[in-house]
């Protein structure tokens, strides 16, 4: 079972560059999320989606964009990368039909902006 | 946004010792989850507590939800090196179950 797959695992960006973090899930989950985690801290919600074509901002959306053209994919776009965006990014998904609100996380994407 | 404070921030103990980690908020939780995150990986759900006063056990881990549903604790008995990791509490809000995470407790268990 693949679960939630994120690519790339590691990336170094120069200030001002742009890139897309890919996230795919094969569990037919409607809900998907992007979080960032700064060193030694908890996770903060960037964007989320409740289904294809529907996205909404989380706690820290500035500097990011998302799209949800299919149920499976939820890419996160960084425009004009800044050092403050150096972090670990986690994609997650959940089915609203599951009891206990179990959310499944990917393994993370480490991004450094220099 | 609901704020979740965890204490302690760091904990370094020896194998066989007991420990308790706390998660507190000024707001009432509808439910609360505990996660463990190991280096290089995403968080993994340990337990969900829903009812005030609820106690759940997962092998050597005991989770308690406060009567007023504003706090929770995680107690580990006879800690082992495999318990090392970042422990996060989280509360889900809204129909999309957006998780708000606590600040985390980093636990290191040494031999």
């Amino acid at each position: 079972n693949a679960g939630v797959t994120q690519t790339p695992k590691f990336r170094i960006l120069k200030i001002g560059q742009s890139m897309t973090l890919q996230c795919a899930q094969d569990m037919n989950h409607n809900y998907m999320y992007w979080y960032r985690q700064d060193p030694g801290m908890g996770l903060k919600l960037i964007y989320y989606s409740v289904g294809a074509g529907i996205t909404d901002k989380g706690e820290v959306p500035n500097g990011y964009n998302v799209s949800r053209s299919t149920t499976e994919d939820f890419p996160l776009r960084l425009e004009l990368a800044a050092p403050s965006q150096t972090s670990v990014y986690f994609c997650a998904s959940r089915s609203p039909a599951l009891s206990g609100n179990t959310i499944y996380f990917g393994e993370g994407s480490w991004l450094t902006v220099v | 946004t609901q704020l979740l404070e965890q204490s302690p921030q760091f904990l370094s103990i020896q194998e066989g010792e007991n420990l308790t980690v706390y998660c507190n908020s000024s707001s009432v939780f509808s439910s609360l989850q505990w996660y463990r995150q190991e280096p290089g990986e995403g968080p993994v759900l340990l337990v969900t507590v829903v009812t005030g006063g609820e106690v759940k056990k997962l092998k050597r881990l005991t989770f308690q939800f406060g009567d007023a549903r504003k706090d929770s604790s995680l107690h580990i008995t006879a800690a082992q090196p495999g318990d090392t990791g970042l422990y996060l509490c989280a509360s889900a809000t809204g129909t999309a179950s957006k998780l708000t995470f606590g600040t985390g407790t980093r636990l290191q268990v040494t031999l």
Side-chain angles (χ1 to χ4, degrees):
Chain A
N1 291 336
V4 180
T5 303
Q6 292 182 230
T7 57
K9 183 82 170 179
F10 301 97
R11 181 72 185 269
I12 298 175
L13 276 182
K14 292 184 178 179
I15 294 173
Q17 286 186 322
S18 300
M19 75 160 297
T20 299
L21 298 177
Q22 302 291 344
C23 176
Q25 53 90 11
D26 61 358
M27 297 173 282
N28 201 32
H29 286 171
N30 288 339
Y31 295 170
M32 295 188 74
Y33 315 84
W34 273 106
Y35 289 89
R36 60 174 287 175
Q37 184 177 32
D38 296 330
M41 302 296 289
L43 285 75
K44 293 186 177 181
L45 182 64
I46 305 171
Y47 269 95
Y48 68 99
S49 169
V50 299
I54 306 170
T55 63
D56 209 344
K57 295 178 180 179
E59 184 183 356
V60 289
N62 292 343
Y64 307 93
N65 275 301
V66 294
S67 60
R68 186 91 183 271
S69 57
T70 67
T71 299
E72 294 78 19
D73 300 301
F74 190 39
L76 177 71
R77 178 87 177 158
L78 281 73
E79 304 282 1
L80 298 174
S84 61
Q85 293 179 301
T86 294
S87 191
V88 184
Y89 291 83
F90 288 98
C91 180
S93 73
R94 171 186 170 265
S95 169
L98 284 177
S99 62
N101 291 335
T102 300
I103 294 180
Y104 297 88
F105 286 86
E107 294 187 338
S109 295
W110 271 251
L111 176 66
T112 301
V113 181
V114 296
Chain B
T1 302
Q2 187 171 37
L3 295 177
L4 282 71
E5 293 187 3
Q6 288 186 241
S7 60
Q9 276 190 299
F10 303 98
L11 198 53
S12 181
I13 62 172
Q14 290 189 320
E15 183 179 20
E17 292 184 21
N18 301 331
L19 67 115
T20 302
V21 174
Y22 300 93
C23 176
N24 295 283
S25 173
S26 57
S27 304
V28 174
F29 300 120
S30 57
S31 65
L32 190 107
Q33 299 181 327
W34 283 96
Y35 291 80
R36 179 168 64 215
Q37 184 179 19
E38 299 187 17
E41 298 182 7
V44 175
L45 179 67
L46 295 174
V47 77
T48 300
V49 286
V50 178
T51 306
E54 183 176 4
V55 176
K56 283 191 173 180
K57 291 192 175 183
L58 184 65
K59 297 183 180 178
R60 293 176 294 100
L61 279 60
T62 301
F63 304 86
Q64 188 158 4
F65 203 14
D67 291 339
R69 291 169 31 226
K70 289 187 175 182
D71 58 273
S72 180
S73 64
L74 158 59
H75 182 79
I76 301 179
T77 303
Q80 298 177 359
D83 295 327
T84 293
L86 179 66
Y87 288 81
L88 297 161
C89 64
S91 178
T93 58
T95 55
S97 291
K98 303 184 297 294
L99 287 177
T100 298
F101 283 86
T103 48
T105 293
R106 189 165 297 280
L107 171 66
Q108 179 156 13
V109 182
T110 56
L111 294 171

